[in-house]
Every structure is written in structure tokens, then in C-alpha cells.
Amino acid sequence: MELMYDGKTKQVLRDESSGDYYLFFKDSATGEDGVFDPGYNTVGGSVAGKGQAGIAISKHFFEVMQANGLPTHYLGADIKACLMKVRQVDVPKLEFVLRYYTAGSMCRRFSLEPGIPFDPPYLEVTLKDDEQGDPLISERICLMKGLLEPGQYDECLDLLVKAGAILRGELQAMGLELIDFKLEFGFGSDGELYIADEITPDIWRVKDADGNIPNQIDCAQIILNKI
């Protein structure tokens, strides 16, 4: 396997013999000083078995998305090996965020109390740039930087809203209320749009029936017991 990209919680690998692409799920978790939080851009530590948990959950939710007619880059998974086979797509350095309630950086930026509901959901797009703190980015700047073509910004947001409705319903059935989440999207050689990267507790915040917000490690265990 050729290492194409080494991220905080995953690696992108290419099988040199077949040309197939894979995501390898690591045991590392985002956070700071040993405290895990999916909202952080740094690795807070490592948890044995996190990679297997992540790929099992991602497999489940990608298959749910596909069963509901949404396009994804997911092609299959080897849970024991922590490898997910994926379609080769061009992923712009953007994250598309959907918020059902105020939380995290939004509260810090705008001096808002956490837990204020949004109806309809609040949508944001951020540039993936750790040094700049993942700043918000507009469609116009995306076009100026060559990150997207005309029309693709709204196309991504439309798919984000559809994915959010499905994800929210699935998590509610597990006794969890979705607070916010982020997705990455990729464009195939055919120009089609696909949900990319992962769908795990690393990309969302949820609250349980008691109003607690579990970190991504605890949330993964809750979900593994449900799927």
C-alpha cells in the first residue's frame, strides 16, 4: 500500500497493484491534553480499538445513506483490518457544517448560549486549515481560490441537508439528539458529488436523554451497542 495522505485519525492508502483506494482508521482521537473532543483540531491521545469502532460505525451509516439514495464514496469495509475501500474522488479542503443547536465554536464566536435550536438548520462552510483555525469561507472565496466550480457550493449544501435529516433520524432512534455535524464531499471523475471521508462520532456532537454530551469515544460505544 502506498501512503497518499496521513491525517489525524485516518490515512489514505492506494493499492499499487490494483489502483484501489482505502481509508485506514487509526486509534488516535482528537482532543487536547488527554481530553477527547471531536471539535478539536489536535490529537488528544490514542484509544485501543477506536479504529475498528470507527470503521464499523462508518460502514453502517454510509450504507444507510446509500439505502436512502444518497451518493457516497464508500465501496466496502474490512473491519478487522480497519480498512475502508473508497471511490477515488477529488476532495476540496472544505468542511460543510450543519447545526441544529448552538454549540462549540459558534457559541465562542458569537457569544451565544449553547443549546439554542435552529429551525431550519444553520449551515456553515469552513476552510480546512489548522494554522488559520479553520475559518469560515463563502462561496465567492471558494470560487476565487479554485476550490469549487460554480454551482458546487449549493450542491454540497443541498446534500448536507439531506444527509443531516437521515443522520438525525437514525440517531434519534438510538436515543441520541444530533446537535451538529460536519461532512466532507468529493467529486468523482464523472463530475458527480459524493459524501466522502467518514460518518462517525468524530464528526458530530450529540446529547443523550439526560442532556449529557458524550465524547466521541463514549458515543461510539453507545452506537456500537445499537447497530
Side-chain angles (χ1 to χ4, degrees), residues 46-162:
S46 180
V47 178
K50 179 181 180 294
Q52 282 194 356
I55 194 169
I57 293 168
S58 229
K59 174 181 184 293
H60 172 78
F61 283 108
F62 271 125
E63 290 176 353
V64 167
M65 294 295 170
Q66 290 177 343
N68 281 273
L70 299 193
T72 85
H73 74 160
Y74 170 82
L75 296 174
D78 182 338
I79 293 175
K80 288 186 178 180
C82 297
L83 285 174
M84 186 168 76
K85 186 177 181 181
V86 296
R87 185 187 308 273
Q88 183 182 0
V89 293
D90 180 21
V91 180
K93 292 186 176 182
L94 299 169
E95 289 182 330
F96 293 81
V97 182
L98 186 151
R99 300 181 183 275
Y100 291 108
Y101 300 91
T102 54
S105 61
M106 164 166 273
C107 294
R108 294 190 295 272
R109 289 198 310 266
F110 302 119
S111 300
L112 293 170
E113 291 296 319
I116 301 171
F118 287 114
D119 187 16
Y122 189 86
L123 308 179
E124 296 178 328
V125 184
T126 64
L127 177 67
K128 288 190 67 175
D129 189 319
D130 290 345
E131 290 185 3
Q132 295 187 50
D134 294 343
L136 294 173
I137 190 168
S138 66
E139 178 181 19
R140 188 172 180 180
I141 300 300
C142 287
L143 295 175
M144 289 176 65
K145 291 176 67 67
L147 296 169
L148 295 172
E149 298 294 329
Q152 290 180 340
Y153 190 93
D154 286 340
E155 186 181 2
C156 290
L157 291 179
D158 181 62
L159 186 52
L160 177 71
V161 171
K162 291 177 181 177

Side-chain angles (χ1 to χ4, degrees), residues 192-208:
E192 292 297 314
L193 176 65
Y194 299 91
I195 300 172
D197 196 40
E198 64 179 301
I199 307 178
T200 72
D202 280 359
I203 69 158
W204 67 56
R205 289 187 187 89
V206 295
K207 59 183 175 182
D208 62 21

Side-chain angles (χ1 to χ4, degrees), residues 31-43:
E32 191 172 66
D33 299 327
V35 177
F36 300 121
D37 188 321
Y40 276 81
N41 289 326
T42 54
V43 173

